[in-house]
Amino acid sequence: MIINFSVQNFHCIKDKVTLSFEATSSKELEEYYVVEPKPGLRLLKLGLIYGANASGKTTVLKALEFLRKMISEPLQDKTEVFDFEAFLLDMKVRYENTFFTIEFIEGKIKYLYEIEFNYKSVINEKLYFFNPNKALVYKRTTDIEKQLTEVEFGNKIKISREQKAVLEANTLWNNTVLSGYMKTNVEVYEMRQAAQWFAGLNWLVTPQTNLKETTTWDIHEERINKKNVISILSKADFNISDISIGDELMKKSDGKVALERTTNFAHNQNGETFIIPYENESEGTKRYYGFSGLLDLMIKHELIVPIDELASSLHPELLKHFLLTFLVNSKKSQLIATTHYRELLMEKDIFRNDVVWFTEKKEDGGTDLYSLADFDSSVIRNTSSIYNAYKIGKLGAVPNLSDYYIELEDVEA
């Protein structure tokens, strides 16, 4: 599970911002929201980020996705460059390095991972573990002139000189040491645990993500339980009684014929069963079919799933049903999502203040990230309406709109 994640100088984020999943001392809805992976550490299963358009809320998720890809999908050639932009609204900062820091729990051990990089290479990288005190696993530096990686291990890590050389040889200057480790026949327990944790970090889900292919494939390969998906869809009032998956020869736009996997849903209506192809279903049904697959995985395994624009194509009641299904049934997974669904803030009986975060543009154009739990009783009282406070701008993170009138210039015919 993520403890916290910090980003600096990445896209619209200029100064360091931190998203934390450490729960406050509040005992509200403790059974559903809080997990204690080790004594004294209470982590939240949910994080919701609100904010105006272009305020940076999606950028927080993109930064996490970028870190995941750096480790799990590394560049294959040392001449390749990273596809990202540093902060562009400051001529000095745009040429400075980018920093990510993430603390997480794997196997009841806390890890701290730090990385500094630019578009060409990883500059510095460190991994620590706490058992119980902080100890270095490795630190990495890059010889920029020679484009070579140098790795130094902590005194608690047992690794031979030969293994260290193999690891360095497999870590290109634009790769992380963890991605290099996954390509070698070297065993370092703490590195294996860290790499395993990043493998449980799901790719970013956006409104454009086609979850149908992955959900259907995982049902076919029995990684997702079809009965569970049907049950989730049924409880969400989609009137779907079965899912059938098959292979058909399909003619493509170029005239070629290819074998494609098809997905069909059985609907019961007035005592009859009707088979409807996935392509003919509503956008909401399609999206919730993919979400149902994610729910099955998050309930059965320990996953971290970032979702951008969670409410896209979903009725507000269905969105609430999805969140409650996740909170009631998952044990160790985490869901991180951006949303504009402010009406959820009216439901004080089903959410905690510490799961709600806001992004707002600062005067210098950079992103500020802060928690609802940061506001004291002078702003938010126990009897206050969070929804009304957010709606009128008392909590920030709303667009600063002008009037509706547009002065059009006359154009000669």
Side-chain angles (χ1 to χ4, degrees), residues 3 115 260 266 281 317 388 395:
I3 301 172
I115 187 167
E260 291 191 2
E281 295 284 358
E317 289 299 315
N388 287 335
L395 307 178

mmCIF file of all heavy atoms in Angstrom, residues 3 115 260 266 281 317 388 395:
data_model
loop_
_atom_site.group_PDB
_atom_site.id
_atom_site.type_symbol
_atom_site.label_atom_id
_atom_site.label_comp_id
_atom_site.label_asym_id
_atom_site.label_seq_id
_atom_site.Cartn_x
_atom_site.Cartn_y
_atom_site.Cartn_z
ATOM 1 N N ILE A 3 1.979 4.773 1.282
ATOM 2 C CA ILE A 3 1.904 5.618 2.479
ATOM 3 C C ILE A 3 1.797 7.072 2.027
ATOM 4 O O ILE A 3 0.904 7.795 2.454
ATOM 5 C CB ILE A 3 3.129 5.415 3.381
ATOM 6 C CG1 ILE A 3 3.236 3.952 3.811
ATOM 7 C CG2 ILE A 3 3.053 6.333 4.602
ATOM 8 C CD1 ILE A 3 4.514 3.612 4.542
ATOM 9 N N ILE A 115 13.816 9.189 -6.481
ATOM 10 C CA ILE A 115 14.448 9.221 -7.796
ATOM 11 C C ILE A 115 14.485 10.653 -8.313
ATOM 12 O O ILE A 115 13.552 11.424 -8.149
ATOM 13 C CB ILE A 115 13.710 8.290 -8.795
ATOM 14 C CG1 ILE A 115 14.464 8.195 -10.116
ATOM 15 C CG2 ILE A 115 12.266 8.730 -9.020
ATOM 16 C CD1 ILE A 115 13.972 7.072 -11.020
ATOM 17 N N GLU A 260 -11.084 -12.309 -33.799
ATOM 18 C CA GLU A 260 -11.236 -11.375 -32.704
ATOM 19 C C GLU A 260 -12.107 -11.969 -31.605
ATOM 20 O O GLU A 260 -13.031 -12.743 -31.874
ATOM 21 C CB GLU A 260 -11.848 -10.057 -33.194
ATOM 22 C CG GLU A 260 -10.920 -9.254 -34.091
ATOM 23 C CD GLU A 260 -11.441 -7.855 -34.342
ATOM 24 O OE1 GLU A 260 -12.512 -7.518 -33.777
ATOM 25 O OE2 GLU A 260 -10.799 -7.112 -35.102
ATOM 26 N N ALA A 266 -26.157 -11.356 -21.746
ATOM 27 C CA ALA A 266 -27.509 -11.911 -21.743
ATOM 28 C C ALA A 266 -28.392 -11.039 -20.850
ATOM 29 O O ALA A 266 -28.077 -10.815 -19.683
ATOM 30 C CB ALA A 266 -27.498 -13.346 -21.244
ATOM 31 N N GLU A 281 -24.117 -2.006 -26.271
ATOM 32 C CA GLU A 281 -24.498 -1.580 -24.930
ATOM 33 C C GLU A 281 -24.243 -0.074 -24.762
ATOM 34 O O GLU A 281 -23.514 0.543 -25.527
ATOM 35 C CB GLU A 281 -23.705 -2.352 -23.878
ATOM 36 C CG GLU A 281 -23.987 -3.853 -23.847
ATOM 37 C CD GLU A 281 -25.320 -4.184 -23.186
ATOM 38 O OE1 GLU A 281 -26.011 -3.257 -22.720
ATOM 39 O OE2 GLU A 281 -25.669 -5.379 -23.138
ATOM 40 N N GLU A 317 -25.556 7.802 -8.562
ATOM 41 C CA GLU A 317 -25.866 6.695 -7.645
ATOM 42 C C GLU A 317 -25.018 5.469 -7.954
ATOM 43 O O GLU A 317 -24.636 4.721 -7.053
ATOM 44 C CB GLU A 317 -27.355 6.350 -7.707
ATOM 45 C CG GLU A 317 -28.267 7.374 -7.081
ATOM 46 C CD GLU A 317 -27.974 7.572 -5.596
ATOM 47 O OE1 GLU A 317 -27.805 6.570 -4.879
ATOM 48 O OE2 GLU A 317 -27.918 8.736 -5.150
ATOM 49 N N ASN A 388 -21.524 22.602 0.488
ATOM 50 C CA ASN A 388 -21.758 24.039 0.339
ATOM 51 C C ASN A 388 -20.455 24.832 0.434
ATOM 52 O O ASN A 388 -20.243 25.799 -0.302
ATOM 53 C CB ASN A 388 -22.746 24.524 1.403
ATOM 54 C CG ASN A 388 -24.166 24.074 1.103
ATOM 55 O OD1 ASN A 388 -24.511 23.814 -0.041
ATOM 56 N ND2 ASN A 388 -24.996 23.980 2.133
ATOM 57 N N LEU A 395 -13.290 26.340 0.152
ATOM 58 C CA LEU A 395 -12.188 25.378 0.228
ATOM 59 C C LEU A 395 -11.221 25.531 -0.942
ATOM 60 O O LEU A 395 -10.249 24.768 -1.043
ATOM 61 C CB LEU A 395 -12.744 23.946 0.254
ATOM 62 C CG LEU A 395 -13.796 23.642 1.326
ATOM 63 C CD1 LEU A 395 -14.285 22.211 1.207
ATOM 64 C CD2 LEU A 395 -13.243 23.907 2.716
#
